Amino acid sequence: MKYVYHFSNGSADGSSEMKNLLGGKGANLAEMAKLKLPVPPGFTVSTDVCTHYYDHNQTFPDVLEEQVLSALKSVENEMGKTFGDEDDPLLVSVRSGARASMPGMMETVLNLGLTSKTIPGLIKQTNNLRFVYDAYRRLIMMYSDVVMEKAGGIEPEDGGGIRRRLENILDKHKESNGYTSDTDLTGDDWKLMSELFKEEIKNTLGHDFPDDPMEQLWGGVESVFRSWNGTRAVNYRRIENIPDEWGTAVNVQVMVFGNTGDSSATGVAFTRNPATGENKFFGEWLTNAQGEDVVAGTRTPNPLSEEIKTQDTEHLPSLETSMPTLYEQLAEIRTTLENHYTDMQDIEFTIQEGRLWMLQTRTGKRNGAAAIKIAVDMANEGLIDKKTALMRVNPEQLDELLHPALDPESENTATLLAKGLPAGPGGASGRIVFTANDAERWKSDGEKVILVREETSPEDVHGMHAAEAILTAKGGMTSHAALVARGWGKCCIVGCGALQIDLAKREIHVNGVELKEGDWITMNGTIGKIYEGQLNLIPSDPEKHHEYKSLMKWADEVRTLKIRTNADSPDDAAQARAFGAQGIGLCRTEHMFFDEERILAVRKMILADNTDDKRSAVMELLPFQKKDFKGILAAMENLPVTIRLLDPPLHEFMTLSDDQMAELAESVGVEKSDVAKRVAELHELNPMLGHRGCRLGVAYPEITEMQARAIIEAAVELTQEGKTVYPEIMIPLVGTVTEYQNQEKIIRSVAESILSETNVELNYTVGTMIELPRACLTADEIAEYAEFFSFGTNDLTQTTYGFSRDDIGGFLPEYLDNKILAHDPFQSLDIKGVGKLVSMAVELGRGVNSGLKIGICGEHGGDPASIEFCYSNGLDYVSCSPYRVPIARLAAAQASV
Amino acid sequence: MKYVYHFSNGSADGSSEMKNLLGGKGANLAEMAKLKLPVPPGFTVSTDVCTHYYDHNQTFPDVLEEQVLSALKSVENEMGKTFGDEDDPLLVSVRSGARASMPGMMETVLNLGLTSKTIPGLIKQTNNLRFVYDAYRRLIMMYSDVVMEKAGGIEPEDGGGIRRRLENILDKHKESNGYTSDTDLTGDDWKLMSELFKEEIKNTLGHDFPDDPMEQLWGGVESVFRSWNGTRAVNYRRIENIPDEWGTAVNVQVMVFGNTGDSSATGVAFTRNPATGENKFFGEWLTNAQGEDVVAGTRTPNPLSEEIKTQDTEHLPSLETSMPTLYEQLAEIRTTLENHYTDMQDIEFTIQEGRLWMLQTRTGKRNGAAAIKIAVDMANEGLIDKKTALMRVNPEQLDELLHPALDPESENTATLLAKGLPAGPGGASGRIVFTANDAERWKSDGEKVILVREETSPEDVHGMHAAEAILTAKGGMTSHAALVARGWGKCCIVGCGALQIDLAKREIHVNGVELKEGDWITMNGTIGKIYEGQLNLIPSDPEKHHEYKSLMKWADEVRTLKIRTNADSPDDAAQARAFGAQGIGLCRTEHMFFDEERILAVRKMILADNTDDKRSAVMELLPFQKKDFKGILAAMENLPVTIRLLDPPLHEFMTLSDDQMAELAESVGVEKSDVAKRVAELHELNPMLGHRGCRLGVAYPEITEMQARAIIEAAVELTQEGKTVYPEIMIPLVGTVTEYQNQEKIIRSVAESILSETNVELNYTVGTMIELPRACLTADEIAEYAEFFSFGTNDLTQTTYGFSRDDIGGFLPEYLDNKILAHDPFQSLDIKGVGKLVSMAVELGRGVNSGLKIGICGEHGGDPASIEFCYSNGLDYVSCSPYRVPIARLAAAQASV
């Protein structure tokens, strides 16, 4: 069995197709090697080893050692250096690399191979004592943290582990020597630091720092595999839905150094702008630095080229002017990579003494606007076709375009606190919190928060996820905070140097203003401005985006699934229509009963003890309902509107205080005790499974009659005004065909009498919401009568799982943590269980009624995975909330592709 | 299309196979005619006419009149008399006859054809003016009631309709003439009555009594068809689950008279005793009477033969001695009918002037004990085979044998109030009510009632159904009350002449004791004794019944489905085992937590805020649980015992008063507010869909661990004592295979550690309750791990329908009334919906695990229709409550047959 895959300049065992086995980084290193790009030689230990490691009580396959040693030998031969050699030692790095990108979530160890024996040789070779001891101290800091402490199973102490202790030693040394920056330290300083570090390690961790190069190498490799199950990585996988079984690969690669002097440099770049999608080579670099210096945001990096300079970076040197030949070479590589991968790439490079090395390429993360622009541009450039362009945008990313922005008027008059780098566009308001844990806690208490940090680290991911927006004092556009926020389409401002954060006091001082935990601020992530207080947000208008419009046009050309919206008011209907909705899939009528003018009639009905009184109370609602329906039908002229008859249990209309009971009793003319008695009667132990849905219509046929009358009269009047409307009357919560027949009879009889009286021809249909397992199981019986089905997958999920959505909070977190559920089934449709019922109902229903119109109107109607399921099961449409309509349009197009 | 089927002595168009078309009565009249038994000629108008009548706006098919007239002509030719003839008129009756027997639920009209023109001729022919006018007044009384008032759509006034008015006229006349009985009236009296009746009819109903024989005939025929949809018939069909679509036939038959003098008589008989099953010709008769006189219970009838005389009837004349030749002829007919039908028959006969006429034969209703004895006897006699015998007993009838009887000791010391005829065996206690409506109302308020009436009529059926028992002052063993009660296996005493019932005052005076509404009485229906107060009831011991044992032996030989029981205690287990249970299918463990000694530990666990405290609280329960399980496993030695792990939501253990909260807080050592907070946290909106079942075990793994330990330790100790036990550990409410795996892991690990410590070999299995739609839909996944499935069809019905069993009362009655549901799905399994899930789960489960043991443990496990479904779906066993075990054994045998 082959576990180790070699790569070097011009050749490789692997390729970019082998991501599952080699991880993304390893596969792309192999691919770049084959493209003859300058990749430092190395080898990848496959994900199979990770699987083996966890399946076999954390041990490696027997043959692994031999394969690693053989691969290492090849690398040594290519480089003409030997690992652990006393005269000219080879140094290597170990880096993780999983199938899916998990930036910063796993461990890296650099400079492996430096020992008391190899250091003198390297100093001789490089003639640079400072560089060697700087490299050594970096090895010690990383290795002691990653390999000895974390992977060694040592619990870091409060206040940080060994790394923090070593940093303290360094800080003290700098302080006592009056140094302000790491660059101030001399070679001897670093040598001293190395000694002090090793002493501290021995005292704290109880072990000597390993001085054997092979021990270092194996320790590094194992620590990467162990970091696959570290807390950060596990949390990240939970958020991103990455299976635990995938495992990570480990890349062992010859070290190249961007920090050997001023002819060395390091940088990260995107082949196009990841925030806007602009076709400009976008990146940052630093001279005399290692890669981590750029990403960590500890030094403010320089712009890559002249054309991407901004007001803030104008004064900084670009690579283009500083090292024009190398820039030219890099720009050529950019073109090679884009042409080869036909997608925007995120690359890392290092220049060691005038020679360019490519350390990584991968498909670059981008925010929604950029994703759209890049996809549409590339299609227009002929690099990809339109269908590929459609697949390039994650439908959820459209959400960013649809997210609110700051109201310009309120922004104009607001108090500007500071300005930072616009790392994630859009607007957000929230209350200040200072730690990731606080963000998560406040969020779960229902607060909107903005997480404010010096800089973020992978440890903060859960809090960043919980926050409305992220604000950091340090870091650049490719800092951790910026990368993560862009991936999620979250508003984010980084590098706002004006912020003075006092974490202990939970205070910020910014340009003379003092802000405390819980204070409101508002951010405009598109331009990087931060304001005091809570400003108005306004919905964005995606129609302004030229590329968005192109993409949606292509999507509409491709997709066959129709997209409707769930809307209960003419305003919502109009908004959804503007977003491209092709009708209303669910118009709920219950909120129309709660209006103050109307609820008295509802309560009268509930209190009535005879049919006549019930009837006359219900009929008081007719004019109101008719007006409601006219408004909605008119807003959706020429498009179908599915109106659901009254659904909730009656007790929802009878939540009354003592005073209200007395008042109601008086206005209806009964005793207060009668009201109380009726309220008690309506109480149910499990209202979700109680007297609701069509069960109400059976018990109160006058409600069905009144609602049918209101709908049909509204439609008739609009027809008489020359409008074309398509009302679809939906009977809720049907479990047996007999319920359907009972209600349909009432509706048809009302409709036919109105239509024959008015002599109007109207295209109306009657159908049902399929939201109970029994409805799915007997869909053939129901479809003999119903003209349409609309899956109410919320309730269907409740009954299929036996989960009350209101009570699931008691055990869902535990279920997700224990992997008993892969995701919340109310968020994304459970294909295996609920989906099976849906498929069955479609098949049974269409079996007896081939013209049956079928849609879905639960929350799942806006979830891309669920939309794909609906498409592949032959549904006619999905219906979702107005703001998710564009997302659903794209998801439907992707399903078709 | 043939609508009318003729029958006469020796020939007939129909046969007993044609019940669907001719109804039971018509088909059997045809069959008797073919057997050359003396049947008065006539014809049957088929049920197709009934269907046509209701499908065509209550009109008859065009060809009907011609077919009826032609059939009537045949009858006239055979009899040599003509309908409506002035000299020698033919009289006919019209009687209903549906596919299923609906005794007394529809209308009958006798003596049709008597008019002002035919009366003189008939008087001349019979030379009996009194007989003719008696017949005429009977025609008037029936016809005005049935045809003119009820079928005419006239709502009877309060206090009774036209019939009551005519009876009042008769009563007044009797009073003013000092008559005490109808037999005192002379011919002239009856003539006068006829005149007064006709006058009253014209005044009250606004129509002349029809004097045209054909008008009378068609009026009678139509009234029978209309009575199919009368309130009584509809109610009866609802109780007996008879489809509305079946319709009734109408039989038109030549009148024969048992009331033309002392050589005439009428009677009803059973070919065997319907109360005991004894092979004795059992019946009652009256001289000079019409059939209704016997059935109505207005005159106490005579015993048919000498051998069936009892202490109470010793002094009365038997037909055997009074008319020996005719008795001999009747006894021969009895043998002919039993040999022909190979079942006990219920017959009606009339003797007109020394000539015997057979008016009806049908399969006789019988109570459970009689059904068993007749079936077993007939099989032993060689009349039927054993399999037929098994099919002859409705499993539900076994219930009667299993019903409680009076405790002899308490009966010996009780105050005997009176004695009546033992019409329905068994014992019953209840509170006195006087009307059917009261019986129904009290019952729905949760009261046990005994319905006490002068005599019952079909109008009382709903109240008889509601009552524990029925007691009447009048009537014989074949009276309405007796027939109906026997059909239902209900305790019943009739003809208790000592009762003086004052309906207005709601009082009874009986042998010097005054009883009021609501007073308790107790009845021994087996011997006909009535006692004051509420006496002890004891379970019957069916094993004493010789034929019961034979039948159950035959059943066990035939059936393949195993029968288990639901039992939570050693006593219940022993009782079920005595009834033939082959194991426990469901042992619930939650009640074991409620014991006073234990619940504190449960509450401690609920209040614990850390794993250690939780664990130690739970472990306090271990010794108790172990003792519970030892008892049950020992009681079921050598048989499997399925033990379900804790299932109910925790809040069920925390229903606490304010004082109890304080007490609990003190004994656990927390603040009262903490207790209150925890109680509030546990509150759920829909607990049925909340944190219960295996969701508890996931959150509180220590509960699963403790219960698994208690079960396995109990089993190990019993094994060490030399007993063989088969514990089956059942994980409740599994919806995903991951839940199952999570819990199974805990159980296996506890079990394996105990077994390896003790070095005991134990046959234990782990499986799950399948009670959620999702479990059925993903049964293949679950069956890869589970060793058995047990369908919890109660919860499965709740989730499949979306019906909360606790709240269904709010709409179920309406659903049954409106035929939206044919029956309560919690009583009898919904084959179409829930059944489809069960079938699917069996197929999916066995598909991956052919050895999967499958059973059912919901309420449906004791329902014969559901048992048949379980058999045909290949289940291994059903489990039901102990008292239903014999019923399930028989039902399972019937399913196999």
Side-chain angles (χ1 to χ4, degrees), chain A residues 74-294:
Chain A
S74 298
V75 173
E76 287 171 343
N77 291 343
E78 283 162 51
M79 297 302 291
K81 296 182 184 215
T82 305
F83 188 60
D85 189 80
E86 296 186 13
D87 295 324
D88 191 5
L90 184 74
L91 302 191
V92 299
S93 62
V94 294
R95 293 178 211 257
S96 65
R99 198 187 302 191
S101 169
M102 294 170 61
M105 294 300 144
M106 288 182 291
E107 304 299 358
T108 294
V109 190
L110 305 179
N111 304 343
L112 291 162
L114 280 175
T115 65
S116 55
K117 288 190 181 142
T118 60
I119 285 172
L122 192 62
I123 293 171
K124 212 157 57 189
Q125 283 291 329
T126 58
N127 199 19
N128 189 338
L129 178 129
R130 186 189 183 282
F131 159 71
V132 174
Y133 277 107
D134 184 18
Y136 191 45
R137 68 93 191 179
R138 286 179 194 256
L139 168 64
I140 296 169
M141 289 181 98
M142 285 188 212
Y143 196 96
S144 62
D145 172 29
V146 166
V147 184
M148 300 181 76
E149 187 172 71
K150 285 190 197 145
I154 299 171
E155 198 65 31
E157 323 143 49
D158 272 349
I162 186 68
R163 185 165 192 122
R164 176 59 50 96
R165 284 176 170 270
L166 304 188
E167 278 167 359
N168 285 344
I169 291 169
L170 178 56
D171 287 347
K172 260 188 223 152
H173 182 75
K174 278 155 79 176
E175 207 175 57
S176 61
N177 286 280
Y179 298 153
T180 58
S181 153
D182 285 0
T183 49
D184 298 339
L185 275 77
T186 65
D188 285 331
D189 286 323
W190 287 128
K191 188 175 176 191
L192 175 64
M193 287 302 103
S194 304
E195 296 310 318
L196 294 177
F197 285 179
K198 290 200 281 184
E199 214 177 290
E200 178 69 24
I201 287 166
K202 185 162 188 191
N203 291 339
T204 309
L205 303 182
H207 294 286
D208 276 322
F209 184 79
D211 203 38
D212 173 61
M214 286 312 286
E215 187 186 344
Q216 288 180 0
L217 176 62
W218 284 105
V221 169
E222 184 167 6
S223 75
V224 174
F225 284 128
R226 293 192 68 142
S227 69
W228 174 253
N229 269 357
T231 315
R232 278 180 295 149
V234 169
N235 281 342
Y236 186 86
R237 289 204 296 277
R238 214 182 57 206
I239 293 170
E240 297 285 336
N241 276 326
I242 297 172
D244 291 345
E245 297 75 41
W246 283 4
T248 184
V250 175
N251 299 291
V252 180
Q253 200 176 14
V254 166
M255 281 300 303
V256 289
F257 296 95
N259 58 339
T260 54
D262 288 344
S263 64
S264 295
T266 193
V268 298
F270 294 89
T271 58
R272 303 191 182 208
N273 186 320
T276 65
E278 263 186 316
N279 189 358
K280 289 181 180 169
F281 195 19
F282 186 89
E284 293 167 334
W285 71 291
L286 284 168
T287 44
N288 198 15
Q290 281 205 343
E292 56 172 345
D293 301 329
V294 183

Side-chain angles (χ1 to χ4, degrees), chain B residues 30-76:
Chain B
E31 192 75 13
M32 283 202 292
K34 284 183 168 175
L35 287 171
K36 303 201 185 308
L37 302 185
V39 175
F43 54 87
T44 304
V45 183
S46 78
T47 55
D48 282 347
V49 175
C50 191
T51 311
H52 182 286
Y53 182 75
Y54 283 108
D55 283 355
H56 293 80
N57 204 20
Q58 309 204 359
T59 59
F60 290 126
D62 291 339
V63 297
L64 185 66
E65 187 170 1
E66 192 192 317
Q67 293 188 16
V68 164
L69 292 179
S70 151
L72 184 61
K73 178 61 73 188
S74 298
V75 173
E76 287 172 341

Side-chain angles (χ1 to χ4, degrees), chain B residues 375-628:
Chain B
V376 172
D377 282 354
M378 283 188 170
N380 288 335
E381 290 160 20
L383 212 53
I384 56 177
D385 62 17
K386 285 179 184 179
K387 286 186 177 176
T388 308
L390 286 171
M391 299 307 287
R392 281 284 167 80
V393 180
N394 179 341
E396 294 288 352
Q397 286 187 311
L398 295 184
D399 214 15
E400 300 164 30
L401 288 197
L402 310 169
H403 265 160
L406 285 195
D407 173 3
E409 261 183 65
S410 83
E411 190 171 3
N412 282 341
T413 57
T415 308
L416 181 66
L417 291 170
K419 201 161 171 289
L421 298 175
S429 270
R431 302 176 68 181
I432 294 169
V433 293
F434 290 92
T435 72
N437 286 340
D438 285 346
E440 202 173 49
R441 194 160 48 240
W442 286 50
K443 159 95 174 186
S444 78
D445 289 344
E447 295 288 347
K448 284 184 189 301
V449 296
I450 289 177
L451 178 62
V452 184
R453 302 284 287 164
E454 278 293 324
E455 56 189 312
T456 66
S457 76
E459 270 88 0
D460 295 326
V461 166
H462 63 291
M464 296 166 75
H465 196 247
E468 299 298 306
I470 298 140
L471 172 59
T472 69
K474 291 185 181 168
M477 290 290 278
T478 52
S479 67
H480 178 264
L483 280 173
V484 170
R486 257 194 318 266
W488 288 334
K490 215 176 262 275
C491 174
C492 178
I493 297 175
V494 298
C496 179
L499 299 181
Q500 290 174 278
I501 302 174
D502 187 333
L503 180 58
K505 290 195 182 159
R506 299 283 203 262
E507 282 176 9
I508 303 169
H509 293 266
V510 50
N511 296 326
V513 178
E514 188 185 290
L515 297 169
K516 289 205 164 63
E517 186 179 56
D519 286 349
W520 280 88
I521 56 172
T522 299
M523 285 164 47
N524 183 336
T526 313
I527 52 169
K529 289 185 174 172
I530 303 127
Y531 303 97
E532 206 172 347
Q534 188 179 12
L535 304 192
N536 281 346
L537 299 178
I538 52 166
S540 75
D541 182 0
E543 292 297 321
K544 279 195 214 139
H545 293 252
H546 171 68
E547 289 86 3
Y548 166 86
K549 280 162 74 177
S550 295
L551 191 79
M552 295 313 285
K553 192 168 150 278
W554 300 347
D556 290 347
E557 284 164 13
V558 167
R559 77 182 159 88
T560 54
L561 197 63
K562 286 199 160 49
I563 310 299
R564 296 199 194 178
T565 192
N566 300 346
D568 310 342
S569 73
D571 284 354
D572 283 357
Q575 172 69 75
R577 201 165 183 166
F579 280 146
Q582 295 164 290
I584 289 182
L586 177 61
C587 171
R588 297 177 185 87
T589 58
E590 40 269 25
H591 83 276
M592 305 171 183
F593 285 65
F594 281 99
D595 192 281
E596 215 178 323
E597 288 184 281
R598 312 177 183 186
I599 194 149
L600 183 63
V602 178
R603 290 176 178 159
K604 266 193 220 166
M605 172 196 84
I606 294 173
L607 292 170
D609 59 1
N610 65 68
T611 309
D612 286 348
D613 287 357
K614 259 190 219 171
R615 217 186 140 66
S616 71
V618 171
M619 287 304 159
E620 286 180 32
L621 297 165
L622 180 63
F624 295 110
Q625 284 261 286
K626 191 162 139 188
K627 201 175 142 217
D628 296 331

Side-chain angles (χ1 to χ4, degrees), chain A residues 685-689 695 738-739 772 774 777 781 799-802 804 807 815 820 830 832-833 836 840, chain B residues 685-689 695 738-739 772 774 777 781 799-802 804 807 815 820 830 832-833 836 840:
Chain A
L685 289 177
N686 296 291
M688 167 57 216
L689 306 176
R695 299 164 200 171
T738 44
E739 290 173 318
L772 289 172
R774 199 176 186 285
L777 294 162
E781 295 187 346
T799 43
T800 303
Y801 269 99
S804 160
D807 302 313
Y815 265 47
I820 288 174
D830 160 46
K832 271 191 195 160
K836 199 183 254 188
M840 195 184 297
Chain B
L685 289 177
N686 295 291
M688 167 57 215
L689 306 176
R695 300 166 199 170
T738 44
E739 291 173 316
L772 289 171
R774 199 176 187 285
L777 294 162
E781 295 186 346
T799 43
T800 303
Y801 270 99
S804 159
D807 303 312
Y815 265 46
I820 288 175
D830 160 46
K832 271 191 196 158
K836 199 184 256 187
M840 194 183 296

Side-chain angles (χ1 to χ4, degrees), chain B residues 810-826:
Chain B
F811 54 92
L812 183 63
E814 202 129 19
Y815 265 46
L816 293 173
D817 285 353
N818 286 325
K819 303 283 160 68
I820 288 175
L821 289 175
H823 49 71
D824 177 351
F826 294 104

